[in-house]
Amino acid sequence: MAVGRIQESTLKVFGNDYPTHDGTCVRDYLHVCDLADGHLSALEALEEGSNVFEHPDGVGVGPKEGEGKFRAFNLGKGNGMSVFDIVEAMRKATGFDFKTVVVERRAGDVPDLTADPALAKKILGFEAKQDLETMCRDLWNWQTKNPNGYQ
């Protein structure tokens, strides 16, 4: 919208009657660099000598030798931000006055989808570092330099 790729004049917000602080859906947004750091931490945990699969909680450890081993980790900040929180942060980051219109909820949207990164912190030492302002600023910086996406 702000870089001209979307021609609509308003940003649709799907519902404002959810049991959240402003009525809009809450999600656990994550900076792409934090996501990359989380994946690197997981890869490092696979290196020889790692004891990630021997952790006493046993979550996700393969049951028998030769069956493979896995661990599932949620990467996030552990606290969510609403649609309107994101819109306001993007207004600040871009200087663009995004107009919004509330429309009907989408089927299947849940009020709050926030990660619990406790296991990732405990086992991998992962902790998302970037705040919402930084996420939006960096997104805007990348988007203005790449208006048609990565090519």
Side-chain angles (χ1 to χ4, degrees), residues 3 8 11-13 21 25 28 30 53 58 72 83 85-86 126 134 146-147:
V3 293
E8 295 179 41
L11 182 65
K12 291 178 185 168
V13 176
H21 72 274
C25 290
D28 193 349
L30 188 63
F53 295 110
V83 173
D85 292 336
I86 293 293
F126 170 79
T134 303
N146 302 278

Side-chain angles (χ1 to χ4, degrees), residues 32-124:
V32 67
C33 291
D34 284 333
L35 180 63
D37 286 345
H39 282 89
L40 288 173
S41 295
L43 287 171
E44 289 167 2
L46 296 174
E47 291 178 352
E48 192 171 325
S50 169
N51 65 354
V52 70
F53 295 110
E54 298 167 9
H55 201 274
D57 67 12
V59 177
V61 176
K64 295 181 184 173
E65 188 66 33
E67 286 190 3
K69 297 180 179 182
F70 69 93
R71 297 294 305 252
F73 298 99
N74 285 316
L75 300 179
K77 294 187 73 66
N79 56 24
M81 292 150 275
S82 75
V83 173
F84 284 147
D85 292 336
I86 293 293
V87 170
E88 187 56 34
M90 287 303 296
R91 283 179 179 140
K92 289 178 184 174
T94 65
F96 185 81
D97 186 21
F98 294 95
K99 302 295 182 204
T100 61
V101 61
V102 176
V103 297
E104 287 186 42
R105 289 180 175 197
R106 293 181 297 195
D109 272 349
V110 296
D112 190 327
L113 194 55
T114 301
D116 179 357
L119 188 65
K121 183 173 183 174
K122 179 179 178 181
I123 306 296
L124 302 176

Side-chain angles (χ1 to χ4, degrees), residues 3-26:
V3 293
R5 286 187 56 208
I6 298 172
Q7 299 307 312
E8 295 179 41
S9 61
T10 56
L11 182 65
K12 291 178 185 168
V13 176
F14 295 96
N16 66 347
D17 59 347
Y18 291 93
T20 62
H21 72 274
D22 64 12
T24 65
C25 290
V26 169

